[in-house]
Amino acid sequence: MINPWSPASWQTKTSTQQPEYPSAKEVTSVCARLEALPPLVSEFEIKKLKAQLAEAQKGQYFLLQGGDCAESFADCKAESITDKLKILLQMSLILTYGLRKPVIRVGRIAGQYAKPRSSPSETQNGIELPSYRGDIVNDVNFTATARQADPERMLSGYHYSALTLNYLRALIDGGFADLQHPESWELDFVKKSPMAQQYLDLAHTIGDAIDYVKTIPGVNAANLQQVDFFTSHEALLLPYEAALTRFSEPHQRWYNLSTHLPWIGMRTAQLDSGHVEYMRGIANPVGLKIGPAMTIEWLIPLIQRLNPDNEAGKIVLIHRFGHEHIAEKLPPLIAAVQKAKLPVLWSCDPMHGNTKNTPSGYKTRYFQDILSELQQAFALHHQCGSFLGGIHFEMTGDDVTECIGGATDVREEDLKSGYKSMVDPRLNYEQALEMAMLIVKKGGGSSF
Ligand code: PEP
Ligand code: CO
């Protein structure tokens, strides 16, 4: 018998990856202030996303989710937000065209501020301090004061999320989606690729297709500029998530109104965890990361607990096995989900199973490994009578050098020149655009 749910019922369970705050009283007071503030998104938007995800579960839509591993407060700037939106829109245009499906765009943005860590502490030169857990918890600098968890940061996280979302909404409503037009694509890099001509042809064909659609009588060109854009983050810091959880009178359900699509990370998905307890009660769609440790005996009850009424559009399973393990790990899980007749959307995160450390101490990922996991994911789903309905990237619109490879041939020795991520390495603008082009070429049987 499962106990009744409330936004606070997670507190009756064990929750890992939570900061140690010096004063519980201060946490309570910050949460009370958060509870009094307006939500960041609405339940009406969330319902729209859930309906689109339900369509994606039937193969009618495709999910593109991407953004920083960890957003930082300092990076809440016009240019950075614009660049992230631009690359997501451009990738979505390539995917829409290549896969012949509408694409659901979801940013890891406007709230991706909390990070799970493999160790609670970090040691440098013999000094041990708490690990950095994301800007909503503590500061990345390696001093005792900076690493002290500070509940006031939850209020800053809320404010930076609101600023980011406000600017995203202004850009989209103001017609920024026009930037989807390939004229504004920075395509110089593709000339270095052996596939240069194919990439340029694709960009021109998309441009022509848009121009053609605009000339069809009855087509309102303004509709082409209209895009839906949704936000997501890992729902890790439970006091924050609970404080932004509100009861919707029109829908008679609880929603997490800090984001449209919260997800549960690999490290906090135990069946009896505080995170699963919290997530089972909200009406948002939820993402669930699944890695090599996931078993059938764990996954099936987990999905059933998170989606007791078998609602369509509710569960996005984001697998992240690594290119060396996906072929062994994925098929049995697909078969088990099929056998249990559970409605899910399968998405592939080809980033988190492919992280490597260079001898010089950088965390990196190889473009080829990422692509290989994705290609295998499309093929394995197909072989199992399933289909891959989404992709999940860590990427940025900036010209960072964090992942190795791609047409511009970022090398290990280049990492030091443009490595900005505070946690995991991201695809840069060119690598992300190229990845989208390779997916429509190799993925899902579609081609250009
Ligand atoms: C992440 O998406 O940043 C992350 C930590 O992923 P995972 O839980 O899959 O390791
Ligand atoms: Co990450």
Side-chain angles (χ1 to χ4, degrees):
M1 178 46 200
I2 291 196
N3 291 327
W5 182 91
S6 83
S9 59
W10 63 269
Q11 292 177 13
T12 63
K13 306 279 182 179
T14 305
S15 303
T16 52
Q17 298 285 342
Q18 301 302 289
E20 281 180 29
Y21 289 116
S23 148
K25 219 168 113 198
E26 215 185 323
V27 176
T28 310
S29 128
V30 165
C31 289
R33 280 151 73 197
L34 282 170
E35 279 163 24
L37 289 165
L40 296 171
V41 302
S42 78
E43 63 268 42
F44 305 98
E45 295 169 328
I46 292 171
K47 278 198 82 170
K48 189 174 188 186
L49 170 63
K50 204 167 166 183
Q52 292 185 7
L53 291 171
E55 289 300 307
Q57 287 174 347
K58 293 189 246 154
Q60 305 296 323
Y61 278 67
F62 190 79
L63 171 68
L64 168 65
Q65 187 178 7
D68 290 323
C69 179
E71 287 176 279
S72 72
F73 294 169
D75 200 31
C76 181
K77 293 189 180 130
E79 202 188 358
S80 158
I81 297 167
T82 311
D83 288 350
K84 283 178 210 167
L85 181 60
K86 175 174 161 179
I87 182 62
L88 261 165
L89 291 175
Q90 292 179 344
M91 287 175 85
S92 74
L93 193 64
I94 296 171
L95 294 171
T96 303
Y97 180 80
L99 303 176
R100 301 283 194 268
K101 282 180 194 173
V103 170
I104 309 169
R105 304 168 193 87
V106 179
R108 289 174 61 115
I109 199 164
Q112 176 50 17
Y113 291 122
K115 293 309 299 172
R117 303 317 304 259
S118 42
S119 164
S121 66
E122 182 183 342
T123 303
Q124 285 184 23
N125 303 323
I127 300 169
E128 187 181 354
L129 291 175
S131 291
Y132 170 62
R133 289 187 177 276
D135 275 8
I136 200 163
V137 173
N138 57 3
D139 187 290
V140 72
N141 285 319
F142 195 75
T143 67
T145 325
R147 290 294 173 91
Q148 175 66 61
D150 177 0
E152 286 284 327
R153 284 180 164 266
M154 287 194 268
L155 280 163
S156 305
Y158 168 89
H159 286 125
Y160 283 113
S161 298
L163 295 172
T164 306
L165 199 49
N166 180 56
Y167 191 51
L168 284 169
R169 292 190 194 281
L171 286 171
I172 289 166
D173 292 348
F176 174 81
D178 243 2
L179 262 181
Q180 292 184 60
H181 211 279
E183 265 114 69
S184 65
W185 295 12
E186 292 146 43
L187 282 168
D188 277 355
F189 77 96
V190 303
K191 297 195 184 111
K192 294 186 192 147
S193 163
M195 291 175 57
Q197 200 49 50
Q198 286 185 54
Y199 289 155
L200 295 171
D201 287 351
L202 173 69
H204 288 133
T205 312
I206 292 176
D208 289 349
I210 293 173
D211 289 343
Y212 170 69
V213 169
K214 281 182 181 162
T215 65
I216 300 174
V219 170
N220 180 355
N223 287 346
L224 293 171
Q225 294 159 19
Q226 193 74 40
V227 299
D228 286 331
F229 184 85
F230 301 100
T231 61
S232 66
H233 66 246
E234 179 170 349
L236 185 67
L237 186 58
L238 290 172
Y240 177 82
E241 303 299 333
L244 270 298
T245 302
R246 309 288 162 85
F247 190 70
S248 162
E249 289 298 338
H251 299 112
Q252 290 291 302
R253 298 189 71 171
W254 290 93
Y255 284 86
N256 180 330
L257 297 183
S258 73
T259 190
H260 301 108
L261 176 60
W263 79 81
I264 308 185
M266 266 277 295
R267 296 175 181 81
T268 50
Q270 303 77 16
L271 203 49
D272 208 30
S273 70
H275 292 83
V276 171
E277 173 60 20
Y278 168 73
M279 295 289 249
R280 81 177 170 92
I282 55 172
N284 304 55
V286 299
L288 177 61
K289 291 288 205 90
I290 56 181
M294 184 54 77
T295 58
I296 295 172
E297 297 69 33
W298 179 3
L299 181 62
I300 300 300
L302 188 51
I303 299 172
Q304 288 165 337
R305 184 160 301 180
L306 291 168
N307 191 16
D309 299 324
N310 257 343
E311 280 181 84
K314 171 79 189 178
I315 302 285
V316 183
L317 288 185
I318 308 164
H319 51 77
R320 29 86 80 229
F321 296 116
H323 74 111
E324 287 163 323
H325 303 292
I326 183 169
E328 179 205 343
K329 298 284 178 182
L330 180 61
L333 296 181
I334 295 178
V337 170
Q338 283 168 334
K339 191 165 160 226
K341 295 195 171 34
L342 300 173
V344 302
L345 179 66
W346 290 99
S347 176
C348 175
D349 163 0
M351 312 300 291
H352 286 88
N354 292 311
T355 314
K356 302 217 160 78
N357 287 309
T358 67
S360 48
Y362 285 99
K363 238 188 187 184
T364 192
R365 290 163 175 154
Y366 288 81
F367 189 91
Q368 272 316 319
D369 295 350
I370 296 167
L371 183 63
S372 160
E373 180 161 1
L374 270 178
Q375 288 170 341
Q376 292 182 65
F378 277 108
L380 289 164
H381 275 283
H382 190 67
Q383 284 160 25
C384 297
S386 168
F387 61 88
L388 187 70
I391 45 182
H392 183 121
F393 290 111
E394 286 189 342
M395 62 191 207
T396 173
D398 210 351
D399 61 356
V400 298
T401 52
E402 298 171 3
C403 291
I404 294 177
T408 49
D409 196 21
V410 176
R411 290 166 189 236
E412 194 179 323
E413 56 270 26
D414 300 323
L415 296 181
K416 59 179 176 307
S417 65
Y419 201 104
K420 297 192 190 147
S421 175
M422 290 187 295
V423 189
D424 287 341
R426 303 159 294 177
L427 296 172
N428 64 24
Y429 173 82
E430 295 171 338
Q431 290 168 328
L433 208 55
E434 187 181 6
M435 195 59 79
M437 290 175 165
L438 285 164
I439 291 165
V440 301
K441 178 151 167 35
K442 301 255 172 70
S446 305
S447 60
F448 58 90

